[in-house]
Amino acid sequence: MGQQRLMRRFARWHIWLGWLVGLPIVMWTVSGLVMIIQPIESVRGSDRRLELPPVAADGLVLPQLTGPVRSVTLQNFVDGAGWIVVEDDGGRYRYSASDGSLYNPVGETAAREIAQATFTGDAALEGMTYFPADEVPRDFRNPVNVWQARFADDTNLYINAQTGEVQAVRTGWWRIYDFFWGLHIMDLETRDLEGQAPFNHWVLVVFAALSVAGSLIGCTLMFRRRKAKLAVTGP
């Protein structure tokens, strides 16, 4: 009788856990399905961004830096090679690789030229908008001063206003993916496709643990009932 009462209790727990975690499980399944419909390259707009050739190693001039820096990297841009210098305070600047001079902040005309040279799609450029670091759009979520280039096919291209770097390409499908990604990790506020998503937040941990508990109880009930059925019917 003790085992039967325990199995009945397991059955009740299994039903209540099923109701509790049923919606998250459906949400995880649907969001996962949506996220695999398109290749991740299409989601990130890689097919709409110009691939630049490697930088030639000859004739490079290093910038004259006076303070401590975190990193110095060489990159190619649509208007020539440059050094990206991240200073100790987090400031990010670009220096010319041909003469070592500091790159001027990007104005609207220069940002427009960079956007048109970088975008490889057929859609027309509809407009340029400047956003300060504390007011960046939802589909960018990076606290730096940027220019947003809006194209007619619902693609947004973001250009760093200090360095001229193309920091993000956001397609219409990216925004759909981003929403379902937030549902998938159960965090619509701080979701991030660039590897910074908080996978260990408490809501996701709790529902994942409840789902595991429900699955284990269900497996226990399944094997227990199969054993009881075999005992009744015989081999």
Side-chain angles (χ1 to χ4, degrees), residues 169-231:
V169 179
R170 302 304 193 217
T171 63
W173 187 255
W174 187 98
R175 285 179 279 278
I176 296 173
Y177 187 106
D178 182 54
F179 173 76
F180 280 96
W181 169 256
L183 288 179
H184 199 71
I185 65 172
M186 304 184 74
D187 187 351
L188 288 172
E189 183 61 29
T190 59
R191 62 190 186 270
D192 185 358
L193 294 186
E194 309 301 333
Q196 303 299 320
F199 287 104
N200 61 337
H201 65 86
W202 69 270
V203 176
L204 182 59
V205 171
V206 168
F207 276 100
L210 291 175
S211 299
V212 171
S215 299
L216 292 176
I217 292 174
C219 290
T220 301
L221 291 171
M222 179 181 66
F223 284 110
R224 181 67 182 178
R225 289 175 179 175
R226 177 176 175 81
K227 182 178 180 181
K229 182 178 180 181
L230 289 175

Side-chain angles (χ1 to χ4, degrees), residues 69-99:
V69 299
R70 295 183 185 179
S71 64
V72 178
T73 57
L74 180 64
Q75 297 184 27
N76 205 0
F77 300 86
V78 293
D79 55 350
W83 302 98
I84 295 297
V85 177
V86 180
E87 297 186 345
D88 193 48
D89 61 359
R92 189 179 184 91
Y93 301 93
R94 173 182 164 188
Y95 292 81
S96 170
S98 59
D99 59 17

Side-chain angles (χ1 to χ4, degrees), residues 14-212:
H14 186 63
I15 292 171
W16 282 109
L17 284 173
W19 282 109
L20 182 62
V21 303
L23 180 59
I25 289 175
V26 171
M27 183 175 66
W28 290 334
T29 305
V30 172
S31 59
L33 174 62
V34 171
M35 289 190 296
I36 64 172
I37 291 176
Q38 290 284 345
I40 192 63
E41 293 80 12
S42 297
V43 173
R44 292 173 175 169
S46 302
D47 55 344
R48 305 183 191 187
R49 180 172 179 170
L50 178 67
E51 290 291 333
L52 297 172
V55 179
D58 54 322
L60 300 178
V61 177
L62 287 170
Q64 298 299 314
L65 305 175
T66 57
V69 299
R70 295 183 185 179
S71 64
V72 178
T73 57
L74 180 64
Q75 297 184 27
N76 205 0
F77 300 86
V78 293
D79 55 350
W83 302 98
I84 295 297
V85 177
V86 180
E87 297 186 345
D88 193 48
D89 61 359
R92 189 179 184 91
Y93 301 93
R94 173 182 164 188
Y95 292 81
S96 170
S98 59
D99 59 17
S101 61
L102 179 64
Y103 188 77
N104 293 325
V106 179
E108 180 175 352
T109 300
R112 181 180 294 271
E113 292 174 353
I114 293 171
Q116 290 176 325
T118 302
F119 185 70
T120 59
D122 298 327
L125 177 61
E126 293 186 329
M128 302 291 301
T129 305
Y130 174 80
F131 290 95
D134 58 349
E135 297 179 9
V136 294
R138 182 69 180 175
D139 65 349
F140 184 58
R141 293 201 299 270
N142 191 357
V144 297
N145 301 331
V146 292
W147 285 97
Q148 180 198 66
R150 301 183 308 278
F151 290 87
D153 63 352
D154 201 25
T155 298
N156 292 335
L157 191 148
Y158 290 96
I159 301 165
N160 189 303
Q162 178 63 46
T163 65
E165 296 172 278
V166 178
Q167 294 205 284
V169 179
R170 302 304 193 217
T171 63
W173 187 255
W174 187 98
R175 285 179 279 278
I176 296 173
Y177 187 106
D178 182 54
F179 173 76
F180 280 96
W181 169 256
L183 288 179
H184 199 71
I185 65 172
M186 304 184 74
D187 187 351
L188 288 172
E189 183 61 29
T190 59
R191 62 190 186 270
D192 185 358
L193 294 186
E194 309 301 333
Q196 303 299 320
F199 287 104
N200 61 337
H201 65 86
W202 69 270
V203 176
L204 182 59
V205 171
V206 168
F207 276 100
L210 291 175
S211 299
V212 171

